[in-house]
Amino acid sequence: MKIIDCVIIGSGPAGYSAAIYLARYNIKHLIYTGDIPGGQLINTTIVDNYPGFSKGILGINLMNEMYKQAIKYGTIVKYNKIIKVFFLKKKKLHYLYTNNKKKIITKTVIIATGSLPKTLKIKSLNNFLGYGISYCATCDGMIFKNKNVAVIGGGNKALEESILLSKICKKVYLIIRNNKFKAYKILINIINKIKNIKILFNYIVIKFLGNKKLKYINLFNKIKNKIKKKKVSGVFIAIGNYPNTSIFKNKIKMDKNGYIITKNKTTKTNIPGIFAAGDVQDKIYKQAITSAGSGCMAAFDVEKYLYYNKYK
Ligand SMILES: Cc1cc2nc3c(=O)[nH]c(=O)nc-3n(C[C@H](O)[C@H](O)[C@H](O)COP(=O)(O)OP(=O)(O)OC[C@H]3O[C@@H](n4cnc5c(N)ncnc54)[C@H](O)[C@@H]3O)c2cc1C
């Protein structure tokens, strides 16, 4: 059976950046797209913070450009997903199984399976994704300059997003489903001092309303058993992310939240020959640019690993 030099699992910014660099190194590789070819950015409208696009670029177009750049240099794209992995440390070979019943043997793997933001089960939510509802204040905060917005969540991410938005927006409603924060004390202290942040404890959002663009949210207070309507142009859902690592459980070192652990500012994992890039190993930055950057690093690390193994 043919042994491949590298398989990239995942086709977001991390996967495609790794592919572009591997192709330029002339390392034979495949990229498996999984269920979402192009990754998370496919589900957004304009990306305004990716360098090089001064007018912004649609998420889908940005990913299409990355795809075209990779195949131009020889990347082979497979529109399937990996469903099982066996990392064989001693043999220095790794076996991957796909959902179309293929077995692949590879010397190295770049895991770039990303993450997915946790969401809310509210019917009207999908109507306003990219039209008022966002999962990232760094990405979309400026759209709502001088407007009223809401942030949903009571953890560190929600508080950080609220602090950032308070510098851009007129008013920030911080909506917390119970009566306490689940965040660092320092963030709570800061939040309590910011005048344009209004904290709404014991509220949950029950409906998003508007005509194409989001205009209002309906909130329900569990204690008072009352519904209240708030006028907001934007809502940021900040209740966490799931790294896509279920197929790697017990096969590779992860932290308690399922993020893959990489070593010493590289993309190396605890298994020689297995590398990780993008959101799947990053619980802090989670941006297209940081994912692309670590995809590039993974290709560097793969190249070194393959080259030095050749002379062992
Ligand atoms: C709505 C939204 C808007 C955003 N807007 C911005 C923005 O404006 N600017 C910005 O910088 N960032 C933005 N982000 C964040 C950004 O999208 C992510 O940080 C980035 O996409 C992460 O890239 P990644 O390559 O690590 O993974 P992802 O983009 O998550 O891609 C993961 C890939 O892995 C694949 N995969 C998963 N499991 C398997 C498997 N078993 N086998 C094969 N493939 C698999 C998936 O199909 C997918 O292709 C946004 C995120 C969201 C959700």
Side-chain angles (χ1 to χ4, degrees), residues 44 46-49 132-151 160-172 233-237 287:
T44 191
I46 292 277
V47 177
D48 268 321
N49 56 6
I133 298 182
S134 168
Y135 293 97
C136 172
T138 306
C139 313
D140 297 330
M142 281 305 279
I143 300 171
F144 306 103
K145 196 171 176 189
N146 298 327
K147 297 197 170 142
N148 291 352
V149 296
V151 174
E160 281 168 2
E161 302 265 89
S162 301
I163 294 166
L164 171 66
L165 290 165
S166 72
K167 296 174 202 158
I168 303 168
C169 304
K170 196 168 154 196
K171 194 164 198 171
V172 180
S233 306
V235 168
F236 291 84
I237 301 172
Q287 294 293 294

Side-chain angles (χ1 to χ4, degrees), residues 149-200:
V149 296
V151 174
I152 302 174
N156 291 325
K157 181 168 183 214
L159 271 60
E160 281 168 2
E161 302 265 89
S162 301
I163 294 166
L164 171 66
L165 290 165
S166 72
K167 296 174 202 158
I168 303 168
C169 304
K170 196 168 154 196
K171 194 164 198 171
V172 180
Y173 297 104
L174 177 55
I175 301 163
I176 302 171
R177 66 180 163 168
N178 48 29
N179 63 356
K180 53 180 182 291
F181 293 110
K182 217 176 149 190
Y184 296 135
K185 224 172 178 174
I186 182 162
L187 288 174
I188 301 172
N189 289 342
I190 297 171
I191 283 278
N192 282 327
K193 283 183 193 145
I194 301 178
K195 293 214 169 77
N196 65 339
I197 297 181
K198 184 159 172 47
I199 303 157
L200 300 173

Side-chain angles (χ1 to χ4, degrees), residues 8-16 32-41 43-50 63 80-83 112-117 129 133-136 139-140 244 247-248 277-280 285-292 294:
I8 302 166
I9 313 178
S11 58
Y16 273 127
Y32 274 85
T33 67
D35 291 335
I36 315 172
Q40 292 173 64
L41 286 183
N43 295 321
T44 191
T45 48
I46 292 277
V47 177
D48 268 321
N49 56 6
Y50 199 85
M63 293 319 300
N80 292 100
K81 67 175 173 187
I82 304 296
I83 52 167
T113 47
S115 69
L116 286 176
L129 262 186
I133 298 182
S134 168
Y135 293 97
C136 172
C139 313
D140 297 330
N244 293 321
I247 57 165
F248 308 111
D279 277 14
V280 75
Y285 304 104
K286 292 187 198 307
Q287 294 293 294
I289 184 73
T290 48
S291 297
S294 64

